[in-house]
Amino acid sequence: MDLAIETTDLIKRYGSIVAVNHLNLKVESNTIHGFLGPNGAGKTTTIKILVGLLKPDGGRVTVLGEEVQGDNPDVRLKIGYMPELPRFPKHLKGYELLDIYGKMYGISTQERKIRIQRVLEIVGLKGRERDFIGEYSKGMQQRLGIAQALLSEPELIILDEPSLGLDPAGMVEVRGVIKEIAKEGVTVFLSSHLLYEVEQVCSHVSIIHRGACLASGRLEEIIAKISGPVMLEVELAEESEDVFEVLKNLPFISKIQRENKTLIIKLETTDDVRPQISQAITKAGGIIVYMNMKRRGLEEAFMRLIMKS
Amino acid sequence: MVYTSRISEKVSKKPKFSDRFLAVVKYELLWNIRKKKFLGVLIAAFAFSTLSLLLPVILSHAFGAPFEANPNFVIGRGGISSGFTLFLFALVSVMNSISGEFESGTIIPLVTKPVSRSIIFFGKVFASLLTISAAYSLLYAYMAIGGTVIYGPQNNLHLMPLCILGDLLSTFVWVSIVLALGSLSKNTILTAISAIIVFLAISISAPIVSVFSEGAWILNYVPGNGASGYVKGANQGMLPGTSVTTGTDSITSNLVRYILSPSEKVTYFKVEVGAGIKELYSEPLSTVLSRSMLVALAYITISTFTAWYAFKNAQVLE
Ligand SMILES: Nc1ncnc2c1ncn2[C@@H]1O[C@H](COP(=O)(O)OP(=O)(O)O)[C@@H](O)[C@H]1O
Ligand SMILES: [Mg+2]
């Protein structure tokens, strides 16, 4: 397993506040990895350590195979980073900024021209690049933030709350952009306090709360893990004692509630066992007219996970 | 939508040092020339130069005195001439170069680019050197042309580049001090206020210390105008010679004086109430000049190092 980011027992304090508390984080290469947690969880602090803006008080950090220590411009060569609510010099024009940043990456003049047009198109800033950044709205600065993170075609893109400050249409657009770039073999690490955002774009997720990692892994696994027991609602053509007896004996069913022709089945597994259940009912002579699987709301499960810790 | 041109070499080459450095210089230059305060000071300096060009003409008209050609008008003045102007140029050029980036948050995207903080720092310093050099060159050119038009052909105009270098050396004492303050405080207002206080405190106390005490030598080791003395020559006011100052702000005028008459001596004096002027001691102008240049270099080195060190190790909490 190739890791793009790894932190081991990472600690960061601001005076007496412990912002990052023994954080262990593993981000696999070529994934879209969500860094999910409520406001104040320590996401931005962690990201700032990854890109060298802050120094850790303890623990180790490795980015793209290199240990992050002090000022290391060569690691940053392979990273595109969009800060949380990024701000750029007001007195520069969008194009000037991208051109200067591009030069810092050693991109040739010719290549810069092409790439700047491309990233401007991707983030929807085309036509505004000759305006001073001071005249940009916050949403436009956010888009410029994404553009400058993509400019160098990095191996790893770190986005700190990419949809913060965008209108709903902008958010959808940005999510599209993220999915698109990840198809091209880039690792994307994005922080968010919005569960549904992570759900929509990420393949993997790490949940952080009070500076520590609560859960980490593939998105579906984590969702299954945190979302708790699953309910299955089954309506039969007619009431049947046989069906009830058969179902009661299935190992992954913990409880059945009967309401006339409707059965509310509580499952012990988070796997999808609808085929097995349907088969068992049919064997027992029952006829299914309706079946619906219900998970506990993810948002609710997420809140419970955070409350529990 | 195509994000990458992956056919192009995936292995990113290391950018050249010159690319990184020049990118920072361009970043900073574009900022400097668009700073309103800088433009304001430049315009004020032009207005001031215009005034000093025209004032003798106006006065001679007003008093009906004959107006004389003066071949030493431009170079005889000895540089930009006012320590205050040098200080102002330094202040408006760099007071927010570092602190402003922290305050606006623009430091975050900047220092996360593949450019070391040292390159960013020295790129910024170099850009301010270019900006101030350009401003001074314009001012000198303006004075040379205006002076020639009004006062006739000028002597020693070939010393102008040297004057600009001297003024830059003097200015960079202040530039480096302001940079250090900005880098340590990360606060532009605090930087500006403390720099102004330092400048005023030195400027106000220097003449007093210099004229009324025997401890004037100490002024040779602080930035600014330094101690007051005179070189023997035509009486000027109550002094038995031409008054000179010896500090880091006086490098250009002493440089010109030294080149034109290398063997001059500077005499220090003290004013005693009732007894008039008491001579303290003299030293060669060459000593005064080389000391002020060394002191300037020492301040520049120490302050620049401090600013660089603070910037290099700063965490970005903003
Ligand atoms: N510059 C700072 N000074 C003091 N405390 C800070 C600073 N930045 C963040 N914190 C604190 O550290 C904790 C984590 O903040 P942050 O990393 O910004 O969280 P997130 O990005 O997940 O919202 C919070 O309690 C926050 O108040
Ligand atoms: Mg944050």
Side-chain angles (χ1 to χ4, degrees):
Chain A
M1 187 173 66
D2 209 5
L3 291 182
I5 299 172
E6 182 173 19
T7 74
T8 318
D9 272 331
L10 186 65
I11 301 174
K12 179 67 191 177
R13 300 184 201 93
Y14 298 107
S16 61
I17 300 172
V18 184
V20 177
N21 194 0
H22 296 277
L23 179 74
N24 292 296
L25 186 69
K26 281 190 171 66
V27 176
E28 280 176 53
S29 293
N30 302 326
T31 59
I32 309 185
H33 196 113
F35 194 29
L36 179 67
N39 288 324
K43 302 182 294 294
T44 298
T45 305
T46 305
I47 288 176
K48 279 181 159 187
I49 294 171
L50 296 178
V51 295
L53 289 166
L54 294 174
K55 290 174 204 151
D57 293 316
R60 291 180 50 182
V61 183
T62 312
V63 175
L64 297 173
E66 290 196 53
E67 187 148 355
V68 175
Q69 243 175 359
D71 193 15
N72 189 345
D74 293 337
V75 181
R76 299 200 293 266
L77 200 53
K78 297 182 274 181
I79 306 176
Y81 162 55
M82 188 193 78
E84 183 175 33
L85 294 174
R87 291 292 167 263
F88 301 101
K90 289 192 182 70
H91 49 83
L92 290 181
K93 296 170 184 172
Y95 191 91
E96 290 172 340
L97 183 87
L98 292 173
D99 191 55
I100 288 169
Y101 283 170
K103 203 174 160 77
M104 291 178 178
Y105 283 99
I107 306 169
S108 70
T109 313
Q110 204 58 36
E111 182 74 13
R112 286 205 298 277
K113 277 192 191 134
I114 300 167
R115 289 203 198 174
I116 290 173
Q117 290 311 324
R118 187 158 56 214
V119 293
L120 285 171
E121 193 151 346
I122 290 175
V123 302
L125 274 181
K126 209 153 189 176
R128 299 301 303 270
E129 68 266 29
R130 301 286 166 187
D131 294 347
F132 282 104
I133 295 169
E135 295 161 11
Y136 284 14
S137 70
K138 287 194 175 149
M140 289 169 72
Q141 289 208 42
Q142 193 84 353
R143 286 160 189 266
L144 187 61
I146 296 172
Q148 56 93 43
L150 302 184
L151 188 62
S152 64
E153 299 181 358
E155 283 173 45
L156 169 64
I157 296 178
I158 300 178
L159 306 166
D160 195 354
E161 306 258 8
S163 61
L164 211 60
L166 289 179
D167 53 41
M171 287 189 187
V172 172
E173 222 177 295
V174 163
R175 282 174 208 145
V177 169
I178 295 170
K179 282 188 189 164
E180 206 59 41
I181 54 185
K183 279 186 196 155
E184 311 197 23
V186 180
T187 311
V188 180
F189 182 62
L190 77 99
S191 83
S192 177
H193 65 283
L194 302 172
L195 184 71
Y196 65 85
E197 176 167 79
V198 170
E199 231 186 320
Q200 280 174 21
V201 295
C202 296
S203 61
H204 290 67
V205 63
S206 293
I207 298 175
I208 179 179
H209 182 52
R210 300 214 181 106
C213 193
L214 297 186
S216 184
R218 295 189 61 82
L219 184 72
E220 309 91 79
E221 287 165 17
I222 298 300
I223 286 178
K225 204 155 121 190
I226 68 170
S227 63
V230 177
M231 308 289 257
L232 206 59
E233 188 184 350
V234 180
E235 191 185 336
L236 301 174
E238 51 197 62
E239 274 184 79
S240 156
E241 198 61 32
D242 292 349
V243 168
F244 181 66
E245 286 305 320
V246 168
L247 289 180
K248 238 173 43 180
N249 293 326
L250 286 176
F252 43 76
I253 291 180
S254 63
K255 202 177 141 198
I256 304 174
Q257 206 180 315
R258 276 197 289 188
E259 285 169 22
N260 304 326
K261 290 186 271 182
T262 301
L263 304 175
I264 309 284
I265 304 168
K266 197 168 173 191
L267 299 177
E268 265 185 341
T269 173
T270 52
D271 296 342
D272 188 359
V273 289
R274 280 175 299 180
Q276 287 96 309
I277 289 178
S278 138
Q279 205 171 29
I281 292 175
T282 312
K283 255 190 187 165
I287 299 166
I288 301 169
V289 294
Y290 174 82
M291 189 191 269
N292 179 29
M293 190 158 81
K294 285 185 190 161
R295 286 183 185 280
R296 179 186 292 126
L298 209 54
E299 206 73 47
E300 189 198 330
F302 174 54
M303 285 312 298
R304 269 172 42 125
L305 182 72
I306 281 165
M307 295 301 182
K308 231 172 41 192
S309 68
Chain B
M1 181 174 56
V2 185
Y3 156 60
T4 54
S5 54
R6 287 281 151 180
I7 328 102
S8 69
E9 75 284 25
K10 157 108 190 184
V11 193
S12 37
K13 286 182 296 167
K14 255 192 179 182
K16 284 184 296 194
F17 169 83
S18 59
D19 273 343
R20 305 189 203 202
F21 186 75
L22 290 177
V24 176
V25 172
K26 185 174 178 193
Y27 175 92
E28 193 70 6
L29 270 183
L30 287 175
W31 186 12
N32 281 347
I33 59 170
R34 291 169 184 166
K35 281 182 188 172
K36 292 199 185 71
K37 290 191 191 70
F38 178 79
L39 295 176
V41 167
L42 187 59
I43 290 167
F46 268 98
F48 195 73
S49 300
T50 309
L51 198 66
S52 64
L53 278 170
L54 295 181
L55 203 60
V57 183
I58 295 166
L59 287 181
S60 72
H61 268 280
F63 296 105
F67 175 71
E68 287 168 13
N70 178 359
N72 294 319
F73 180 82
V74 175
I75 294 298
R77 289 156 27 95
I80 299 248
S81 79
S82 145
F84 185 58
T85 312
L86 304 176
F87 171 75
L88 272 186
F89 268 109
L91 187 68
V92 296
S93 305
V94 296
M95 67 184 209
N96 55 2
S97 290
I98 292 175
S99 53
E101 298 259 19
F102 279 92
E103 287 161 333
S104 64
T106 51
I107 190 78
I108 294 176
L110 181 60
V111 297
T112 48
K113 293 292 167 293
V115 179
S116 72
R117 294 210 187 170
S118 299
I119 291 181
I120 293 175
F121 178 82
F122 287 105
K124 279 173 173 279
V125 174
F126 186 69
S128 70
L129 179 67
L130 289 182
T131 316
I132 299 174
S133 306
Y136 285 4
S137 304
L138 284 175
L139 280 170
Y140 270 96
Y142 179 65
M143 285 304 279
I145 294 166
T148 307
V149 169
I150 298 174
Y151 301 96
Q154 294 291 303
N155 292 339
N156 301 312
L157 282 184
H158 64 281
L159 293 181
M160 253 171 41
L162 212 56
C163 289
I164 294 176
L165 284 180
D167 280 336
L168 284 174
L169 188 57
S170 304
T171 308
F172 264 70
V173 172
W174 295 116
V175 164
S176 60
I177 290 174
V178 172
L179 277 175
L181 291 170
S183 188
L184 289 170
S185 72
K186 298 184 197 165
N187 180 320
T188 303
I189 304 224
L190 210 64
T191 301
I193 290 177
S194 48
I196 290 170
I197 288 175
V198 169
F199 178 79
L200 287 182
I202 293 176
S203 305
I204 292 169
S205 59
I208 301 171
V209 172
S210 186
V211 173
F212 294 107
S213 84
E214 293 183 15
W217 60 271
I218 201 165
L219 295 172
N220 291 323
Y221 299 95
V222 294
N225 275 331
S228 311
Y230 57 85
V231 292
K232 296 257 158 54
N235 282 14
Q236 200 185 52
M238 37 188 296
L239 284 179
T242 312
S243 108
V244 293
T245 49
T246 62
T248 59
D249 283 352
S250 315
I251 289 171
T252 303
S253 55
N254 288 339
L255 192 60
V256 169
R257 196 183 299 281
Y258 174 75
I259 290 169
L260 298 180
S261 41
S263 59
E264 276 186 321
K265 276 178 177 306
V266 176
T267 306
Y268 296 88
F269 62 90
K270 177 184 166 189
V271 176
E272 285 179 344
V273 183
I277 285 172
K278 179 187 161 197
E279 264 188 39
L280 294 174
Y281 64 99
S282 323
E283 56 185 6
L285 180 60
S286 58
T287 308
V288 169
L289 178 62
S290 38
R291 185 182 47 223
S292 62
M293 286 163 73
L294 286 176
V295 169
L297 286 174
Y299 273 101
I300 290 171
T301 309
I302 293 167
S303 306
T304 305
F305 179 82
T306 308
W308 166 79
Y309 189 81
F311 179 66
K312 187 159 180 57
N313 292 292
Q315 297 205 66
V316 183
L317 296 167
E318 283 63 26

